[in-house]
Amino acid sequence: MQCIEYFQRLEAEGQGWELESRSREELERIEGGHGGESLYAKRSIILDNLYGVDIDEGAVEICKLRLWLSMVADIEDEPGEVEPLPNIDFNIRQGNSLIGFTDLIETVNEQGDTSLTNYGIGEETPVSEYYEDVIHAQRKHKRANSSKEATNARRQAESLITSYSQNLDNKVLDEFHNAGAEITLDQVQEFHPFHWILEFALVYDQGGFDLIIGNPPWDQLRASRDDYFVKFDEQFRSRMPSNKDEMQKQLLEDEEIAEGWEEYQEQIEKQMRYFTDGSEYILQKPVIDGRKDPNENNLAALFFERLFELVSDEGYVAQVLPGVIFSGSFSKDLRMKLLNDAEIQSLVGFENHGIFGDLHRQYQFAVLTFKNQGESEQIKGIFDQHDVSVLRHFDEKAVEIPREVLTQYSLKARIFPNITHPEEVGILESIVSHPPLGEKIDNKWNVTPHRELDRSRASDRFVEEENEGDYPVYGGANIHQFQHDNTFDSSLDSPSLWSVDEDQPDLSAKYRVRERAYNGGTPKKDIYEAFGGPKTSKSQKGFVNDLLQEHRGQDLCMDDLLPDFTEYRIIYRDIARPTDERTMISTVLPKGLVCVHTLQTFSPYEVNPEQDDLSEYPLRSIYERAYDDKELFVITGLLNSIPFDYLMRTKVDSHIVRFKLEESQVPRLTEGDNWFHYISDRAARLNCYGKEFEEMRERLGGIDPAKEESERRRLQAEVDAASFHAYGLDREEMQFVLDDFHRVSNPRIMTEAYFEKVAEKYTHLGDVGPME
């Protein structure tokens, strides 16, 4: 419109001679047509620039109607004088956007001709001829001046597309078979494959789509009774669940409806197999923490991957997408594709709060724009927005987020952080500069989280009366930060489960812990790998038993396993929420206790077998401490620190997921590092109270445990303050974290006075240093 208005002004000012002949022709066409420049521009855009696909044929027809109505709104003459709606039958098409071919795979035969044998088209069919007949028919239809001419051209183009599609549909059938789906060609065609290269041949001839705008379905592909039974009962979707059950039962009494329901479910299953196990979609099965985490047929994720194939090189994409595309582990490879092969122009994350009336207020979604070239060294974005007005003021509100923060924040799942303030970028840059907790580093402490017992599966090993057991079995409700019982906090539960010693193996929780670890491969796997077992043809069991027979004359047995409960070790709560007073809750557990699944533990041992160790019975020298006594408490102090809690709150929903914990960064402080002794000594005094820690107090040189509440608050504030320094956060960043930290009513510890004390200690330590 601006160009047209500019050209018209030149013409009106007598400077029309400056216009090129094509521009003058366009102005003359506007003057001679019905309606003004607005109608002309809209008509041109609809005809030459707008294309769309929908699987619902009714939606396609409604789209065409709406385009016509948008033109009617700009009519300036009598309604009867409006020019006919442009011939857009090949602009707005019906089909399945997710099934079908998006590009040509070109091969060269012995004669040097470019052919399409990959698509089942004749070996001697050159690409130019393949394009030309379809393109010529589509162009003729688009420019037709009469209904008869348009009808003939449309029939010719549709006939060609149908002919070519038959061959391509056979290729799709092969892909379904390769994915393990038992299906016929007729059944494939019931999915309405949409071959973009055919249907939009005219667009591909001109270089492809320069801009794709979309809002793909946010649902999962699954058999939905709402989608099926609504065909027989118009009110089915709106019925209450119990009423739906009754109506479904009634409808299924009709044999034809029942057969159709079974067939419908089978067809959905075949499509799911195609998307999950086929070769067309390669970014839907990322590996997270050594395991595949496949997309459970999230349609938005499938559409998102499709975009990279549809948009032209250097083309642009703008999409409204569900939040899981940026926060779900299954969409990891999609995010990496976006970072590595595209330039992200903008990313705005929203929490619904009434933006979409039919969605929960906490539902998250995002608006993304990117250019299909290069890579993203940084992005402009902002998250957790509640009002779409941010889109009108994006440049003022957006934060520049470096690639390093996006890639290092979540090393295993590559989840994007929900950044809402520029200060958070600097904080995360400092945090992610430290090693992930799960990274193995030589000559440093290393930790491996694991679960000891599942309460329901090991229920036969527990009793509920203390006098019937020999030791308590711990759960998440029994601990808090630096507390292994309710000595200082009466709100902590006392243990409700107990168990007996290993002399009653069928009833003993300790024996079950030993048995699970032994059956899980400890220390068999370690010995097998350390002495070259993988290079032999022997099984792990056979290799290790032969080796031990040679050195000590006895096979490996459960006595050779040294259980974690024989040493002081770190535990943490599995259940955690970002809105709790503290999200990460960890403590050191006394010897001789075991835990159920609501507590996770860091094993205190590593297995490093040497040749001389193999003559022992039971094997003991093969075990080394994973962290020494000082490191035990520096780890606990850092895990319980506000900076680490701040990081975990950005990743946790309701549980501490193992891979999210392992990928999260912690300063790997050891002897000789600043803040090592400062944090370790204070964490030890907080944790080493009671007779259960008498041995540990002696091992640490006879330390005095902190028992008074005021002293405990001071020590914990000092641990928090020192941890800010250990992470390398400056005063402004420290204060931002404290101000941003979620407050709860009636806090145990995290009062405003406590936050002020942490800030005060931070300033003091900045002046005097770690004092080591």
Side-chain angles (χ1 to χ4, degrees), residues 142-341:
K142 183 173 288 192
R143 303 304 179 190
N145 293 317
S146 69
S147 60
K148 181 178 180 180
E149 184 182 358
T151 298
N152 290 336
R154 179 173 57 81
R155 287 175 177 171
Q156 180 186 8
E158 293 286 13
S159 176
L160 289 166
I161 290 173
T162 300
S163 176
Y164 286 135
S165 292
Q166 186 74 15
N167 294 322
L168 297 183
D169 289 348
N170 274 293
K171 193 70 176 177
V172 173
L173 177 63
D174 290 340
E175 293 193 343
F176 269 92
H177 289 163
N178 291 336
E182 295 183 5
I183 192 170
T184 66
L185 179 61
D186 287 343
Q187 290 174 328
V188 166
Q189 290 176 332
E190 288 177 6
F191 297 148
H192 305 288
F194 187 82
H195 305 296
W196 296 75
I197 190 66
L198 276 173
E199 305 277 0
F200 293 138
L202 192 57
V203 175
Y204 276 82
D205 187 46
Q206 297 171 347
F209 294 101
D210 298 314
L211 172 64
I212 297 180
I213 300 173
N215 178 16
W218 295 359
D219 302 322
Q220 285 183 299
L221 176 66
R222 63 180 182 272
S224 166
R225 66 178 184 174
D226 283 356
D227 291 342
Y228 179 75
F229 291 109
V230 75
K231 294 184 292 184
F232 312 101
D233 171 28
E234 293 182 356
Q235 306 301 319
F236 193 85
R237 291 184 191 275
S238 58
R239 292 182 183 275
M240 297 298 290
S242 60
N243 194 233
K244 282 184 179 181
D245 293 342
E246 181 61 31
M247 178 55 67
Q248 179 176 336
K249 184 178 179 180
Q250 292 180 25
L251 291 171
L252 289 177
E253 291 176 359
D254 184 308
E255 186 175 333
E256 187 175 341
I257 293 177
E259 289 178 0
W261 173 235
E262 292 297 324
E263 182 180 348
Y264 165 74
Q265 293 179 85
E266 290 175 4
Q267 296 300 82
I268 292 293
E269 179 64 33
K270 290 170 183 177
Q271 288 188 71
M272 292 168 63
R273 180 67 64 86
Y274 172 81
F275 294 131
T276 302
D277 299 330
S279 59
E280 187 69 13
Y281 293 88
I282 61 174
L283 302 178
Q284 306 293 323
K285 294 181 285 188
V287 176
I288 308 292
D289 199 24
R291 299 179 180 179
K292 285 186 178 180
D293 186 14
N295 168 21
E296 297 295 336
N297 295 293
N298 181 288
L299 290 171
L302 294 167
F303 272 94
F304 190 47
E305 179 171 353
R306 199 70 153 166
L307 290 172
F308 293 101
E309 302 298 325
L310 294 175
V311 69
S312 64
D313 294 341
E314 301 187 13
Y316 290 85
V317 171
Q319 296 283 300
V320 183
L321 297 163
V324 291
I325 298 299
F326 306 99
S327 62
S329 57
F330 73 83
S331 44
K332 168 189 173 182
D333 289 350
L334 291 169
R335 289 189 292 274
M336 293 312 297
K337 173 75 173 177
L338 187 62
L339 286 175
N340 292 334
D341 297 328

